[in-house]
């Protein structure tokens, strides 16, 4: 709790797959999960989580008859008390202030308090302190976003897991290091675990 963890991988390697897998595991452990996406549609995220929960492929999920799907969903529901909310924001249009509002609104209107928050992904969030196009370099912008998200984790006593991409040299490297973080070394300087 009160931490910001980051998954570091190259483009198209599977950061979202990793986070949806972790979200599924959290749900099966009886945890409440909030998954915030700015990269992929919330329906696609939900599909990936469903496929994980049902231990099936995405293709099989698409072709599954409705009655079979409903039976499998009921089986999953019977095994866990965890709840999932997936919320989509347009790319680069939301940041910690929007997420704070969402967390407060979910608590007030749905009596939902997450045990785990996923943000897909940090580099396409906005900063509440620094405005885009305000002649701010990427180091400062990404560090500010990381600090704001970590502050949000502390404020709501919740762990936050997000992701970031590697640099071009990191993409072809077999052993990633913190210096392979794209855009800002301020991110590994702020994150609790990477």
């Amino acid at each position: 709790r009160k931490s910001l963890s980051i998954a570091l991988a190259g483009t198209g390697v599977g950061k979202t797959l990793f986070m949806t897998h972790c979200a599924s595991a959290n749900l099966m452990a009886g945890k409440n999960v909030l998954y915030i996406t700015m990269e992929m549609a919330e329906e696609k995220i939900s599909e990936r989580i469903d496929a994980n929960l049902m231990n099936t492929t995405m293709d099989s999920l698409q072709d599954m008859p409705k009655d079979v799907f409903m039976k499998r969903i009921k089986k999953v529901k019977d095994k866990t008390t965890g709840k999932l909310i997936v919320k989509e924001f347009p790319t680069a249009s939301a940041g910690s202030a929007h997420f704070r509002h969402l967390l407060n609104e979910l608590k007030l209107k749905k009596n939902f308090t997450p045990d785990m928050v996923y943000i897909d992904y940090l580099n396409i969030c906005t900063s509440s302190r620094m405005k885009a196009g305000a002649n701010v370099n990427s180091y400062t912008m990404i560090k500010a976003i990381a600090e704001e998200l970590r502050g949000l984790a502390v404020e709501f006593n919740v762990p936050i897991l997000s992701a970031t991409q590697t640099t071009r040299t990191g993409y072809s490297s077999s052993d990633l290091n913190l210096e392979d973080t794209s855009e800002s070394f301020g991110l590994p300087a702020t994150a609790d675990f990477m």
Side-chain angles (χ1 to χ4, degrees), residues 62-150:
Q62 293 287 331
D63 300 334
M64 195 179 291
K66 187 175 179 181
D67 60 322
V68 175
F69 178 82
M70 295 311 287
K71 279 182 192 168
R72 287 198 177 180
I73 284 290
K74 186 184 180 324
K75 199 182 283 187
V76 168
K77 275 180 157 178
D78 292 343
K79 287 183 184 175
T80 184
T81 56
K83 293 180 183 166
L84 168 70
I85 292 182
V86 180
K87 178 66 179 157
E88 178 184 0
F89 288 95
T91 301
S93 70
S96 62
H98 300 90
F99 307 151
R100 179 178 292 107
H101 176 74
L102 175 64
L103 285 160
N104 286 327
E105 192 173 35
L106 289 172
K107 185 172 185 163
L108 182 70
K109 293 181 179 176
K110 295 194 175 195
N111 197 25
F112 178 85
T113 303
D115 297 301
M116 186 71 195
V117 176
Y118 292 88
I119 299 174
D120 195 358
Y121 66 99
L122 187 137
N123 293 56
I124 54 177
C125 291
T126 59
S127 170
S128 300
R129 296 180 294 173
M130 316 227 170
K131 298 303 166 210
N135 203 18
V136 179
N137 62 38
S138 64
Y139 173 90
T140 307
M141 181 64 82
I142 299 300
K143 183 165 176 38
I145 293 167
E147 288 170 348
E148 292 164 23
L149 292 182
R150 191 173 185 292

Side-chain angles (χ1 to χ4, degrees), residues 1-191:
R1 293 189 174 270
K2 298 183 180 184
S3 66
L4 175 65
S5 298
I6 303 294
L8 172 66
T11 307
V13 170
K15 295 180 293 294
T16 299
L17 282 173
F18 169 72
M19 290 197 295
T20 54
H21 173 78
C22 290
S24 303
N26 294 149
L27 279 168
M28 292 313 292
K31 305 293 184 191
N32 289 339
V33 175
L34 173 61
Y35 197 109
I36 298 169
T37 176
M38 286 171 281
E39 187 174 42
M40 191 179 284
E42 58 190 51
E43 294 82 10
K44 291 289 183 191
I45 295 295
S46 298
E47 249 179 10
R48 286 185 177 195
I49 292 173
D50 285 349
N52 267 290
L53 291 171
M54 293 183 215
N55 197 25
T56 189
T57 64
M58 295 288 291
D59 292 337
S60 299
L61 193 66
Q62 293 287 331
D63 300 334
M64 195 179 291
K66 187 175 179 181
D67 60 322
V68 175
F69 178 82
M70 295 311 287
K71 279 182 192 168
R72 287 198 177 180
I73 284 290
K74 186 184 180 324
K75 199 182 283 187
V76 168
K77 275 180 157 178
D78 292 343
K79 287 183 184 175
T80 184
T81 56
K83 293 180 183 166
L84 168 70
I85 292 182
V86 180
K87 178 66 179 157
E88 178 184 0
F89 288 95
T91 301
S93 70
S96 62
H98 300 90
F99 307 151
R100 179 178 292 107
H101 176 74
L102 175 64
L103 285 160
N104 286 327
E105 192 173 35
L106 289 172
K107 185 172 185 163
L108 182 70
K109 293 181 179 176
K110 295 194 175 195
N111 197 25
F112 178 85
T113 303
D115 297 301
M116 186 71 195
V117 176
Y118 292 88
I119 299 174
D120 195 358
Y121 66 99
L122 187 137
N123 293 56
I124 54 177
C125 291
T126 59
S127 170
S128 300
R129 296 180 294 173
M130 316 227 170
K131 298 303 166 210
N135 203 18
V136 179
N137 62 38
S138 64
Y139 173 90
T140 307
M141 181 64 82
I142 299 300
K143 183 165 176 38
I145 293 167
E147 288 170 348
E148 292 164 23
L149 292 182
R150 191 173 185 292
L152 192 70
V154 171
E155 181 182 342
F156 285 90
N157 189 31
V158 65
I160 294 178
L161 175 64
S162 191
T164 191
Q165 295 181 356
T166 61
T167 57
R168 274 179 275 171
T169 55
Y171 186 78
S172 59
S173 176
S174 61
D175 292 319
L176 292 177
N177 292 305
L178 291 180
E179 67 267 13
D180 293 319
T181 306
S182 72
E183 294 188 273
S184 176
F185 197 73
L187 178 53
T190 305

